[in-house]
Amino acid sequence: DTEVTQTPKHLVMGMTNKKSLKCEQHMGHRAMYWYKQKAKKPPELMFVYSYEKLSINESVPSRFSPECPNSSLLNLHLHALQPEDSALYLCASSRGLGSSYNEQFFGPGTRLTVL
Amino acid sequence: AQKITQTQPGMFVQEKEAVTLDCTYDTSDPSYGLFWYKQPSSGEMIFLIYQGSYDQQNATEGRYSLNFQKARKSANLVISASQLGDSAMYFCAMREVQTGANNLFFGTGTRLTVIP
């Protein structure tokens, strides 16, 4: 199984809502990532988890809260988002950290719209 | 300074022809990896090909090959025998090893359109 799955595919939420994005992989990968991608822009790294511990937080606002319950799952909890947070949110995983070749497998993404 | 530069916002190619997508990079890390990803309109980032900084030979994967010129810091993607399904956004990306992080630095992408 070389697949990263993400749910939901699409999400529309109001600024006062609380929602969660989910990501799952069963490749035994120990590093997982959240990226944000605005239209016609490259992905921007948000968070990196390595062995279920937060390794990198790229100065992301606290209204985005990541969680890694186990080595296969990665969540992104959303609260009090702004319309400018509307984007494609991509999850990725890789075998680990620390070598030049750590191919990241990406999921299909969640298209988030904040009203 | 930009770590990855893709100077072609859009490219057109005739079906069955070859096309080269340009990528230059900037790093002082002697150990790094270069990646190309394809992103169709559906949004998923599909890994295409990898080149390590110490690899002696250019990487190839089926119809994809990477023209790696280390002295020029370029890593162009060559797609041979283009197909309609190749129409997508293509991103060049780099990972530096010695920084210890696992960030992928992405270029701004090139939108490829294959013309029937």
Side-chain angles (χ1 to χ4, degrees), chain A residues 31 33 35 37 40-43 45 48 56 58 88 90 94 96-108 111, chain B residues 31-33 35 37 39 41-47 50 52-53 89 91 95 97 100-104 106-108:
Chain A
Y33 313 78
Y35 288 85
Q37 186 178 22
K40 300 184 181 180
K41 297 287 187 184
L45 184 68
V48 180
I56 294 174
E58 290 286 351
L88 178 68
L90 292 163
S94 67
L97 304 182
S99 73
S100 67
Y101 184 67
N102 260 319
E103 172 195 345
Q104 291 186 17
F105 291 85
F106 283 80
R111 289 196 185 276
Chain B
S31 181
Y32 52 89
F35 302 77
Y37 284 86
Q39 188 176 39
S41 56
S42 58
E44 183 174 0
M45 297 285 282
I46 303 167
F47 167 74
Y50 163 82
S53 57
M89 196 74 166
F91 289 99
R95 173 178 298 111
V97 176
N102 211 40
N103 305 37
L104 268 181
F106 285 90
T108 50

Side-chain angles (χ1 to χ4, degrees), chain A residues 4 14-15 22 27 39 49 55 63 82 84 89 98 107 109 114:
Chain A
V4 177
M15 290 189 284
K22 296 185 185 301
M27 294 177 278
Y49 271 83
S55 171
R63 58 186 184 268
Q82 303 297 311
E84 58 264 29
Y89 288 83
V114 182

Side-chain angles (χ1 to χ4, degrees), chain A residues 101, chain B residues 4 19-25 32-37 47-53 55-70 73-80 91-94:
Chain A
Y101 184 67
Chain B
I4 293 286
V19 63
T20 297
L21 307 184
D22 294 342
C23 173
T24 57
Y25 59 92
Y32 52 89
L34 297 157
F35 302 77
W36 277 92
Y37 284 86
F47 167 74
L48 296 178
I49 196 166
Y50 163 82
Q51 181 84 43
S53 57
D55 292 344
Q56 296 296 312
Q57 293 189 325
N58 287 344
T60 60
E61 288 286 349
R63 295 186 299 111
Y64 305 108
S65 60
L66 202 152
N67 184 359
F68 182 44
Q69 298 190 41
K70 195 170 182 177
K73 293 190 174 178
S74 75
N76 299 339
L77 176 70
V78 180
I79 305 174
S80 63
F91 289 99
C92 179
M94 177 177 67

